[in-house]
Amino acid sequence: NQSEEKLTEYLDELEFLAYTAGASVDKRFTQRLTKPDSKTFIGSGKAQEIRDYVKENEIGTVIFDDELSPSQLKNLEKEIEVKILDRTNLILDIFAQRAQTSYARTQVELAQYEYLLPRLTRMWTHLERQQGGIGMRGPGETEIETDRRIIRDRISLLKDKLKTIDRQMATQRNNRGKMVRVALVGYTNVGKSTLMNALSKSDVFAEDKLFATLDTTVRKVVIGNLPFLLTDTVGFIRKLPTQLVESFKSTLDEVREADLLIHVVDISHESFEDHINSVNQTLMEIEAHQKPMIMVFNKIDAFAYEKKSDDDLSPETRKNISLEEWMKTWMSKSKYPTVFISALKKENFPELKKMIYDEVLKIHISRFPYND
Ligand code: GDP
């Protein structure tokens, strides 16, 4: 069943995120509901089952693949009696661990406070109800009020700080002058940094974890006689917390202001078509979807083709489609120049470079219509 497969993939990704954050996953629980329970997200029977398991096996944390509402989080913590994380919180945590520059750290801190603020509020309404409206002027309220005020002050301070850095970065981008700007975009972990290194012979951090790159790196690259600027951007991911989309505005500005996008896809990943859609969705949100683009299907060396038997022709499963068939499908389907490479083994690099050269040259020419 196809949605069963999707579910497994989503949980694979969540497990990978958890691993990136430094956790190891012990067990998975799933439940089919027509819609999430408004109070506890999952049904009470399932919550019970998880609680028993957590107790028995001394599990420290339970992670949910969706963003939980403040009250769902609170109720679940009461019911399961263990620390609960949702997808947003997990991603924020990874970003916090990986932020290198003061800019990235400021962005993550802002996103974390914005995530926290409504959760503090709800905690208080919950308390209010418990106290039945009597004696509400106790220290509890003052404390939470103070916390909230401190957080709000901190949020506006961080926003000011970001505005200042944004302005500096905009100036920096302007100072880069007339050089054509190319941005690598793609789902997280598809090989953007590896490709950046291979093209610019630089040493950008590449690691088999999600979001190895949080800050943008810009390198000057020359292909043939054509120089251009190549930017590596933060990886996109399904259900990226809205707080982060907003706060990584300046990182995304690199994409928004690029002349050419190189959309890198990990063709060895089972869900690569979902990843393409996710990335296109984000590009649409930041209004960068009409830019010239090159589709780069990476990791052809890792592509596994598992035809179950000779007469097994069911085209539904990706495992039954060979790389050649994928290539044909995508070449004919894609309205963009398309190339299949291995960034790791530098396979098909001449083809890739020619493609980039041609596109960059087109942009050059369009800028200087009177030069011949
Ligand atoms: P990014 O998050 O998109 O920047 O991805 P990275 O460049 O950090 O790469 C993520 C992982 O994929 C690393 O372990 C890389 O070594 C690996 N990788 C990158 N390109 C290839 C490739 O062409 N083939 C294979 N097999 N692995 C690759």
Side-chain angles (χ1 to χ4, degrees), residues 321-347:
I321 301 177
S322 70
L323 183 57
E324 285 68 33
E325 283 170 86
W326 272 128
M327 284 186 184
K328 266 186 247 146
T329 318
W330 277 97
M331 297 285 211
S332 59
K333 201 153 101 176
S334 171
K335 58 176 174 171
Y336 303 107
T338 301
V339 62
F340 293 79
I341 65 157
S342 163
L344 203 64
K345 309 216 157 135
K346 301 203 174 182
E347 275 177 70

Side-chain angles (χ1 to χ4, degrees), residues 24 40 111 262 305 336:
S24 68
T40 49
I262 299 184
Y305 172 37
Y336 303 107

Side-chain angles (χ1 to χ4, degrees), residues 17-205:
L17 279 169
Y19 156 76
T20 304
S24 68
V25 173
D26 189 82
K27 192 174 166 67
R28 298 176 175 193
F29 292 91
T30 54
Q31 182 172 41
R32 243 169 234 293
L33 292 174
T34 34
K35 67 177 176 41
D37 188 281
S38 61
K39 286 206 186 81
T40 49
F41 193 73
I42 48 175
S44 60
K46 187 55 75 173
Q48 195 66 43
E49 188 189 331
I50 297 175
R51 188 173 81 161
D52 292 345
Y53 185 86
V54 161
K55 277 247 157 64
E56 219 165 275
N57 298 280
E58 298 178 351
I59 304 296
T61 311
V62 173
I63 305 173
F64 285 78
D65 192 38
D66 281 278
E67 183 166 324
L68 301 168
S69 75
S71 67
Q72 284 170 337
L73 194 83
K74 190 115 200 71
N75 293 332
L76 278 169
E77 246 162 25
K78 254 197 342 213
E79 204 136 309
I80 304 181
E81 294 175 349
V82 72
K83 185 175 166 194
I84 308 281
L85 285 182
D86 62 12
R87 185 182 172 87
T88 305
N89 208 330
L90 183 64
I91 293 179
L92 286 173
D93 192 80
I94 296 170
F95 273 60
Q97 281 181 34
R98 312 217 131 205
Q100 301 273 337
T101 60
S102 121
Y103 183 66
R105 277 197 297 270
T106 311
Q107 285 173 316
V108 175
E109 201 184 335
L110 176 61
Q112 281 180 314
Y113 278 129
E114 284 179 337
Y115 175 82
L116 187 65
L117 193 60
R119 279 151 184 91
L120 269 188
T121 316
R122 207 44 97 87
M123 224 144 60
W124 174 237
T125 6
H126 169 80
L127 256 179
E128 264 175 355
R129 235 179 280 123
Q130 264 192 349
Q131 296 177 348
I134 300 168
M136 278 186 2
R137 302 283 143 196
E141 189 198 24
T142 322
E143 253 168 50
I144 290 161
E145 257 318 312
T146 312
D147 284 355
R148 265 195 253 165
R149 207 186 50 238
I150 292 172
I151 290 180
R152 276 201 209 96
D153 286 352
R154 188 82 194 136
I155 287 178
S156 61
L157 197 87
L158 290 168
K159 281 188 174 162
D160 285 347
K161 197 170 157 190
L162 282 178
K163 252 186 233 154
T164 313
I165 313 180
D166 273 342
R167 269 198 299 272
Q168 286 166 356
M169 289 172 89
T171 318
Q172 272 174 21
R173 282 197 299 270
N174 279 335
N175 288 346
R176 286 186 212 146
K178 279 264 177 269
M179 249 201 264
V180 172
R181 276 149 53 182
V182 182
L184 289 164
V185 297
Y187 210 72
T188 178
N189 217 47
V190 296
K192 295 184 296 299
S193 308
T194 310
L195 186 58
M196 173 100 176
N197 285 338
L199 286 173
S200 67
K201 300 185 188 73
S202 64
D203 221 350
V204 178
F205 186 51

